[in-house]
Amino acid sequence: MMRVSGLLRLVALLVTLLAVWLFLRSSFSLSTKTIRLPRWLGSAHKEIRVPKSKCGLSKPCPANFFAFKICSGAANVVGPSMCFENQILMSPVKNNVGRGLNIALVNGTTGQVLRMNSFDMYMGDPNSLLKFLAEISEGTLVLVASYDDPGTKMNDEIRKLFAGLGSSYAKQLGFRDSWVFLGAKDLRSKSPFEQFLKNNPETNKYEGWPELLELEGCVPQKIF
Ligand SMILES: *[C@@H]1O[C@H](CO)[C@@H](O)[C@H](O)[C@H]1NC(C)=O
C-alpha cells in the first residue's frame, strides 16, 4: 500500500513538473513557433500553432509584398535595426551599424540583399555617401535608419538624391534628428514609408535626442 501511494505521488509530481514546463515554454518561447505535445499525452498527435508574421509585423503581408521593419537608433546608446522578409539585415547584434546613416539596398523584384553600409555623418566624408547613393540602380529598394547624428555632414546634393528616392524629410534632416525611411530608385512619387522627428530640446525624449522611431509595413514587390 505504501509503495503504491509513493508511486502515485511520484507520478503526480512528474505531471506537475511537465505542466509547469509546458506552460513556461509556451509563455516564454520567442523563437519556437510550434508547441508539440508528447504523443502519449492526449489521444491524437496535436500541434498548437502560434502564427507569427515576418519581422514581427502585427499583420502578415499579402502575396507579392515584402515585409519590413526599420528602427532608428535610441540616442547615442542603442544602435538601429532593419528587418526585411524576416531577415535581420543590420543591427547592433550583427555589429554592422554605426552612428550616422545606415543604409541597406535590396533588389525590388527578388528581395535579394545587394549592399549594406553605415555612413558617419558627424566625422565621416559625405562624398562616400554621395557616391553610394548615385550608384543605386533602377528597381532597388533603399532602407535607411538614423543613429545619433545623421545631419552634420548632410549637404544639398545628398538631400536631392534622397528626395529622388521618395523622401519628404531629407531636405530638413539636421543634427541629431531621428529618421527612418524606405524608398526606391525609380519612385515617381513620395514614399509612404517615412518617419521623422526633429531634435528639439523642448520635446526630446532623451536629453539631447528625440525618441527612436519605428517603421513597419508591406512594400509591393516590383514585377516587371
Ligand atoms: C534584380 O534581380 C533581377 C533578377 O535576378 C535582375 O534581372 C535585376 O537586374 C535585379 N535588379 C537590381 C536593381 O538589382
Side-chain angles (χ1 to χ4, degrees):
M1 232 19 226
M2 281 306 280
R3 287 190 124 197
V4 172
S5 69
L7 190 66
L8 280 176
R9 236 178 284 161
L10 184 65
V11 169
L13 179 70
L14 286 175
V15 168
T16 309
L17 284 175
L18 182 74
V20 168
W21 178 75
L22 282 175
F23 172 74
L24 289 177
R25 213 177 110 114
S26 60
S27 325
F28 297 111
S29 72
L30 290 167
S31 51
T32 45
K33 289 181 198 154
T34 313
I35 299 153
R36 203 182 292 255
L37 295 175
R39 203 164 306 191
W40 46 267
L41 219 166
S43 52
H45 183 89
K46 280 189 191 126
E47 265 188 12
I48 306 158
R49 274 193 180 278
V50 183
K52 223 172 151 206
S53 308
K54 286 175 182 170
C55 296
L57 264 59
S58 45
K59 261 194 261 170
C61 293
N64 300 324
F65 279 75
F66 296 124
F68 74 91
K69 182 168 184 172
I70 306 171
C71 299
S72 72
N76 61 346
V77 179
V78 183
S81 62
M82 277 181 207
C83 176
F84 187 85
E85 281 292 281
N86 226 19
Q87 194 190 341
I88 304 294
L89 305 185
M90 304 184 84
S91 78
V93 173
K94 289 200 79 179
N95 199 24
N96 60 353
V97 291
R99 293 188 187 164
L101 287 172
N102 296 272
I103 307 181
L105 305 182
V106 175
N107 184 313
T109 306
T110 61
Q112 187 199 358
V113 182
L114 304 171
R115 287 184 76 181
M116 291 181 275
N117 233 311
S118 173
F119 298 93
D120 185 337
M121 300 303 288
Y122 182 69
M123 302 281 283
D125 176 7
N127 282 322
S128 58
L129 174 57
L130 193 63
K131 189 166 178 289
F132 182 89
L133 293 176
E135 283 172 357
I136 297 174
S137 53
E138 296 272 306
T140 304
L141 293 174
V142 183
L143 292 78
V144 186
S146 68
Y147 180 27
D148 188 6
D149 173 27
T152 296
K153 292 281 183 87
M154 184 54 63
N155 62 43
D156 285 346
E157 282 176 292
I158 296 173
R159 291 182 204 278
K160 213 178 283 173
L161 286 172
F162 275 126
L165 299 171
S167 168
S168 311
Y169 294 105
K171 60 175 182 245
Q172 51 172 297
L173 191 64
F175 178 65
R176 289 186 179 176
D177 292 344
S178 283
W179 184 41
V180 281
F181 169 67
L182 183 147
K185 176 65 179 183
D186 44 6
L187 214 61
R188 311 243 176 267
S189 52
K190 289 292 168 207
S191 167
F193 306 115
E194 183 167 27
Q195 283 194 49
F196 176 77
L197 264 181
K198 200 123 205 79
N199 168 19
N200 178 349
E202 308 266 296
T203 55
N204 278 351
K205 161 133 181 184
Y206 310 107
E207 209 169 308
W209 295 265
E211 195 164 2
L212 73 95
L213 290 171
E214 284 189 21
L215 178 71
E216 61 170 55
C218 306
V219 61
Q221 186 183 349
K222 194 174 165 70
I223 303 159
F224 291 97

